Amino acid sequence: MDPCPQCGAAPTSPLACSACGALLDPPADTDPWALFGLEPGPSVDGERLRKELRRVSRLVHPDFHGSDAANRDLAERNSARLNEAYEVLRDDYARADRLVRLLGGPDEQAERQMPQAFLMEVLEWNEAVEEARDAAPGSPPRAALDALSDDLQARREASLAELVVGLEGLPPADNPGLPERLTEARKLLNALRYLDRTLADIRELRLEQAAR
Amino acid sequence: MAFIELDVLNNNAEQLALGIDLGTTNSLAATWRDGRPTVLRPDDGEAVVPSAVYFPEDGFPVVGRGARERAMMDPGHTLFSIKRFMGRGLADVQADLRNVPCDVDENENGVVRFHIRGRQYTPQELSAMILKKVQDVACRALDGAAVTRAVITVPAYFDDAQRQATRDAARIAGLEVLRIVNEPTAASLAYGLDQKGDGRIAVYDLGGGTFDISILSIEEGVFQVLATAGDTHLGGDDLDRALADEARREIAEQIGDEAADDPAFRQALRLAAEHCKVELTRQPRAQMHLSLPDGGQWRRTFTREEFEALAAPWIERTLESCRRALADAGLGTDEIDEVVLVGGSTRVPAVRRRVEEFFGRVPHTELNPDEVVALGAAVQAHVLSGGTRDILLMDVTPLSLGLETMGGAVAKIVHRNSTIPCQATEGFTTYADNQTGIEFNVVQGERELAADCRSLGRFKLTGIPPMPAGMARVAVRFHIDADGLLTVSAKEESTGTSSSIEIQPMNGLTDDQVEVMLRESYEHAQDDFDRRRVADLRAEIGIMTHAARKGLESVGAELDRETREDLEEALAVVEREARSDDAEVVQKARDAFERATLPLASLMMDSVARTALTGKSLDEV
């Protein structure tokens, strides 16, 4: 990071100088990892991320920059950038998705063709959700839904672990086999969206049922 | 050390700022004093300002306690629960309109207008009257210090239009809004739970007209909201209404529907139901007593069990929101360390019991649930005035933000429970050659179709340089600021031209309209202030003279003749002087009358009468 233009100290965040409190204005394309002072990678330490969010928020939050309009606008913008980056980094899907794009891999519109067998499975999940919708508590369709939920959760964990292995150690961008690995990651991510959608449907259904 | 230097640059000394709870039923101000938040209570009165406005036949509107007292005598000219109309259109408030005693319509941007005594008032203007009254009370409690900076609270589940309306109301009232803060978040600050170390807390806030549940984590003094859910149309009013509806049903059987729907009677019924509910929080049974429009009397004893059965569906609805918030936070009830109760309606024993059962722990109720939001707002006002850097609030946006797509579906661009400030950028292009404008509809809500969400307004992008279809790359940036308010800006990226955005607000005032209202209120400011003071004093004198007459009737014979004559003379004088429009004259008359009644007051053993004579109203006793 460049030295702080105000005091010359080496800033500990690209968004603000912790030495003099001045707000900085990093380039618009600064990636989420860089905003948190991290190297891009598929896994993050959640505890460390939260700590850094708190530390940098205390530097950039508009609560502490209210007196001057220009400064307040920059505080608003820097806080928003920090929070946006945090949302990306803390979420397994969003983090991997961003990493694939950052490394020049295919975006979510690509690699959407799913194997026939997988699509059949998705149809079965949907049916299981629908059958459980009006079923009584403790009935077989409800028990089947609970089992499905556990199964999908386990598969999600496994997919994420596979993603991390696939994306670990990238960059450098001249890594041999990089395009293939990114394509594989995108396929996994697209399959993950189906899993996540069904898991969200199950969550919604459970909230509805609890309210009855 | 560096921070100290910065603070010196920014603030020479901490300026006083108010924390204002602008409630559906009651409003209140607090400030930071002597190292802690304090409710601002003037020596000669109450801190709480009922959120009611009364319009007398001549003269200026009466706000607060005076308005509430007039409502019984003149229900047709008193407005309550104005907060329910903030940022809403007519179609949203059909149920609430039943309790509005005057004509109502909507302006071209979908802002409700109340027609009363030949004038029209928007909810923003009415809320501004309440805010001014709260400010006035607060300034009196501060020995006349003129404080114009404030943190104002809103329900966490308020959408952009409702927040904007609150902000506009404050502007019309001439207040500088330091921040719009969510009520449950403010309440968590008031409890100072950061002193107890790190943990997760649930704030259950059932107010007069709104319900919020917020789940927060506290780590190293940072209050981070993890999720919030709620209902901006569910509150203590609904519990009153459940009781009132039951009573009305029984009364209608007796006197018919038409008589039971008499507006004045409805108002009386509403107040009786509220009173009955309050009694039932303290005792197992309470009587509702009403004078019927046909002159008859109606008495009915409600038991607490009956009331709880009527209230149960409403309480269950709040628990639905609790489940939703926990699911969004990814937490189970066993992962919540503390539960905090906020809002007057949490005094209802059934509410406390159900919340305790749901979370499996005894909730905090140490602070007055009516004051805790204002106290928390005062803590935040202290932070924003540069008073401390130990506390930081990180709140969320309660509803997802999206754009209507070609097929009428919603493309979400900011998800609910995103930490604010937050931003999102969306790319647009042109579909015709040399097209210079694009129009889009911004919606807020969780539903999949735009028609089922709330439109925040149509945004018209203009000034795109002429180029072939599909070539323009317009980046539209959505920013939700620390107040939870949306701003939209745009830039054509291939040429770097800033495009301008024209906004037609939905259910909101335009800047020009706010300016006009602000100017009007400035022009009348001193006028208004004096007339309002006169109106308030007159109301107070009315109560005092009434009590004095009653006192004379009951114990007057025990006074010596001279004292009695002095008192009768004082009565005549104060009633004459009260007709003056000069606030000073009326104030002097009131004070003189108060002194003249002292011998009578000391005679009267009845504490009710004594309180009334020293200038307090009967219903406070």
Side-chain angles (χ1 to χ4, degrees):
Chain A
M1 270 178 259
D2 295 337
C4 168
Q6 298 243 337
C7 73
T12 52
S13 160
L15 294 168
C17 171
S18 50
C20 72
L23 293 170
L24 307 173
D25 194 5
D29 59 1
T30 309
D31 69 62
W33 288 270
L35 290 179
F36 274 83
L38 299 168
E39 287 301 320
S43 16
V44 290
D45 173 350
E47 191 51 41
R48 192 175 153 199
L49 197 66
R50 291 182 58 77
K51 245 189 148 57
E52 185 68 0
L53 175 72
R54 291 198 295 272
R55 185 184 75 86
V56 182
S57 288
R58 281 188 186 280
L59 295 173
V60 301
H61 198 278
D63 277 7
F64 307 130
H65 296 275
S67 45
D68 151 285
N71 218 27
R72 186 172 56 225
D73 285 350
L74 188 53
E76 279 281 349
R77 201 159 73 231
N78 282 0
S79 280
R81 291 177 73 174
L82 182 72
N83 290 333
E84 189 187 22
Y86 176 72
E87 294 294 331
V88 170
L89 295 184
R90 74 170 180 152
D91 181 80
D92 296 321
Y93 174 89
R95 187 174 62 242
D97 168 70
R98 185 64 66 92
L99 184 60
V100 169
R101 284 188 286 141
L102 186 69
L103 298 173
D107 69 13
E108 59 182 23
Q109 301 302 324
E111 308 301 330
R112 295 177 75 176
Q113 194 76 10
M114 291 288 140
Q116 191 67 23
F118 179 74
L119 291 175
M120 292 305 288
E121 235 184 325
V122 174
L123 282 178
E124 281 168 26
W125 303 343
N126 291 343
E127 273 168 32
V129 173
E130 282 318 307
E131 274 169 30
R133 188 166 297 277
D134 295 313
S139 61
R142 291 279 282 263
L145 190 73
D146 291 345
L148 174 65
S149 175
D150 292 347
D151 177 42
L152 293 183
Q153 206 58 262
R155 285 174 68 166
R156 189 174 194 278
E157 298 301 317
S159 290
L160 287 171
E162 199 181 334
L163 255 175
V164 169
V165 171
L167 293 170
E168 203 72 74
L170 307 170
D174 57 1
N175 206 320
L178 180 71
E180 291 75 19
R181 285 172 73 184
L182 292 176
T183 302
E184 272 317 299
R186 179 54 69 191
K187 281 183 182 161
L188 271 169
L189 280 168
N190 282 343
L192 206 54
R193 286 163 71 190
Y194 285 90
L195 276 162
D196 281 349
R197 198 169 310 145
T198 304
L199 283 167
D201 287 346
I202 293 174
R203 242 189 333 270
E204 279 302 313
L205 180 59
R206 284 181 172 163
L207 282 171
E208 260 173 54
Q209 287 171 338
R212 272 181 216 155
Chain B
M1 285 311 285
F3 287 148
I4 295 167
E5 209 176 14
L6 190 76
D7 285 345
V8 170
L9 284 176
N10 289 344
N11 307 287
N12 290 320
E14 187 189 339
Q15 273 181 286
L16 218 49
L18 304 176
I20 300 180
D21 174 6
L22 178 61
T24 310
T25 333
N26 289 309
S27 299
L28 182 70
T31 196
W32 186 269
R33 252 204 309 204
D34 307 326
R36 61 192 186 91
T38 317
V39 168
L40 288 169
R41 192 170 278 116
D43 293 337
D44 58 342
E46 284 290 299
V48 169
V49 174
S51 305
V53 185
Y54 170 71
F55 295 84
E57 199 169 346
D58 48 11
F60 270 72
V62 179
V63 181
R65 206 156 292 275
R68 229 185 124 84
E69 276 149 13
R70 308 295 175 85
M72 287 300 265
M73 293 175 276
D74 187 4
H77 298 99
T78 312
L79 296 176
F80 290 98
S81 298
I82 294 148
K83 189 171 174 179
R84 288 189 169 223
F85 300 91
M86 293 285 271
R88 303 284 86 156
L90 275 186
D92 307 313
V93 291
Q94 285 306 315
D96 300 307
L97 286 175
R98 284 196 310 167
N99 294 319
V100 174
C102 62
D103 285 342
V104 174
D105 70 356
E106 207 178 60
N107 79 358
E108 66 282 5
N109 290 326
V111 177
V112 171
R113 290 182 300 197
F114 300 89
H115 293 255
I116 196 155
R117 301 268 197 215
R119 251 209 69 176
Q120 55 195 32
Y121 301 89
T122 61
Q124 286 88 330
E125 289 168 285
L126 296 166
S127 295
M129 291 178 191
I130 296 166
L131 284 170
K132 272 189 179 166
K133 176 79 181 180
V134 171
Q135 180 193 21
D136 179 45
V137 169
C139 292
R140 268 199 288 139
L142 291 165
D143 300 322
V147 188
T148 55
R149 303 155 78 239
V151 167
I152 299 178
T153 62
V154 295
Y157 216 58
F158 254 23
D159 66 24
D160 188 80
Q162 292 167 304
R163 283 166 201 271
Q164 193 67 57
T166 306
R167 211 190 157 81
D168 290 343
R171 268 174 71 194
I172 296 167
L175 290 169
E176 183 196 338
V177 183
L178 297 178
R179 178 78 78 243
I180 303 276
V181 172
N182 293 329
E183 287 159 9
T185 321
S188 72
L189 283 182
Y191 266 97
L193 293 170
D194 51 318
Q195 304 297 321
K196 295 180 70 174
D198 294 354
R200 293 198 182 98
I201 59 177
V203 184
Y204 179 102
D205 180 359
L206 188 59
T210 58
F211 171 69
D212 283 323
I213 172 79
S214 288
I215 312 290
L216 296 97
S217 76
I218 301 176
E219 285 173 287
E220 300 168 349
V222 177
F223 288 65
Q224 189 176 12
V225 180
L226 303 175
T228 193
D231 192 330
T232 57
H233 245 84
L234 168 60
D237 287 6
D238 294 295
L239 306 185
D240 301 346
R241 193 146 59 203
L243 259 181
D245 285 350
E246 177 60 21
R248 188 209 157 275
R249 197 181 57 74
E250 294 176 19
I251 290 166
E253 280 174 16
Q254 203 175 313
I255 63 169
D257 276 323
E258 202 176 318
D261 282 338
D262 172 71
F265 178 67
R266 282 200 76 99
Q267 192 74 273
L269 181 60
R270 204 182 64 78
L271 292 168
E274 186 193 334
H275 188 68
C276 187
K277 174 190 75 178
V278 171
E279 294 223 304
L280 286 171
T281 65
R282 291 192 295 252
Q283 59 204 46
R285 47 184 60 230
Q287 196 184 56
M288 212 191 279
H289 176 199
L290 282 157
S291 301
L292 299 178
D294 65 3
Q297 298 294 311
W298 188 80
R299 282 191 171 78
R300 159 86 149 84
T301 299
F302 283 94
T303 64
R304 191 181 275 173
E305 288 70 39
E306 265 183 291
F307 169 61
E308 290 182 353
L310 291 169
W314 301 104
I315 300 174
E316 290 311 308
R317 257 176 69 184
T318 66
L319 298 181
E320 275 177 48
S321 296
C322 293
R323 287 188 202 98
R324 155 81 54 202
L326 282 166
D328 282 356
L331 297 173
T333 50
D334 55 335
E335 292 170 281
I336 299 296
D337 302 305
E338 315 267 359
V339 179
V340 172
L341 292 186
V342 186
S345 304
T346 58
R347 287 203 178 88
V348 173
V351 171
R352 289 193 175 185
R353 204 170 54 236
R354 283 298 284 133
V355 173
E356 187 176 331
E357 277 167 15
F358 182 84
F359 286 101
R361 65 182 53 247
V362 181
H364 283 279
T365 53
E366 300 92 309
L367 294 177
N368 180 340
D370 294 321
E371 295 181 348
V372 57
V373 168
L375 289 171
V379 176
Q380 180 66 356
H382 175 61
V383 172
L384 291 167
S385 303
T388 176
R389 272 183 177 254
D390 294 342
I391 294 169
L392 173 61
L393 261 193
M394 294 174 68
D395 221 313
V396 298
T397 181
L399 296 156
S400 301
L401 191 72
L403 290 169
E404 179 172 355
T405 62
M406 289 296 264
V410 177
K412 278 190 187 165
I413 49 176
V414 174
H415 288 271
R416 70 164 183 268
N417 293 321
S418 297
T419 303
I420 53 173
C422 64
Q423 63 178 8
T425 308
E426 197 66 20
F428 287 87
T429 190
T430 47
Y431 52 85
D433 289 343
N434 301 326
Q435 183 184 345
T436 55
I438 300 171
E439 202 178 301
F440 51 96
N441 181 21
V442 179
V443 298
Q444 203 166 24
E446 310 310 317
R447 304 283 295 276
E448 283 171 22
L449 292 180
D452 296 328
C453 291
R454 173 161 291 273
S455 171
L456 296 184
R458 302 208 167 252
F459 292 72
K460 201 168 166 189
L461 202 61
T462 54
I464 301 169
M467 55 180 97
M471 288 299 287
R473 283 193 295 125
V474 184
V476 178
R477 186 167 155 269
F478 299 86
H479 179 92
I480 300 179
D481 67 16
D483 293 328
L485 290 169
L486 173 70
T487 49
V488 185
S489 55
K491 196 174 191 181
E492 204 293 304
E493 290 190 314
S494 63
T495 59
T497 352
S498 281
S499 308
S500 57
I501 297 257
E502 192 185 298
I503 306 163
Q504 284 176 307
M506 191 68 98
N507 309 124
L509 299 171
T510 63
D511 277 350
D512 290 348
Q513 286 168 331
V514 173
E515 278 304 313
V516 170
M517 290 172 184
L518 178 61
R519 218 165 32 240
E520 278 177 2
S521 82
Y522 270 148
E523 279 161 12
H524 297 301
Q526 188 55 42
D527 245 26
D528 268 21
F529 182 76
D530 285 346
R531 291 207 218 187
R532 196 167 287 126
R533 207 172 127 209
V534 168
D536 287 351
L537 284 167
R538 277 186 195 149
E540 204 184 337
I541 288 169
I543 294 162
M544 288 164 73
T545 53
H546 177 74
R549 286 218 165 79
K550 281 208 134 169
L552 274 174
E553 266 173 41
S554 57
V555 298
E558 292 166 45
L559 288 168
D560 61 69
R561 203 170 61 104
E562 199 183 334
T563 313
R564 202 168 60 233
E565 278 172 8
D566 281 354
L567 194 56
E568 276 159 6
E569 169 67 14
L571 263 168
V573 169
V574 75
E575 288 185 335
R576 190 176 62 238
E577 300 283 284
R579 281 182 229 130
S580 164
D581 286 328
D582 186 334
E584 287 311 314
V585 170
V586 184
Q587 178 76 52
K588 280 209 181 88
R590 180 216 163 272
D591 295 346
F593 181 66
E594 186 174 19
R595 281 192 299 275
T597 57
L598 285 175
L600 178 65
S602 65
L603 234 184
M604 288 159 71
M605 298 307 291
D606 184 349
S607 70
V608 174
R610 190 191 306 262
T611 315
L613 278 171
T614 51
K616 286 192 183 160
S617 67
L618 290 163
D619 66 346
E620 289 163 37
V621 181

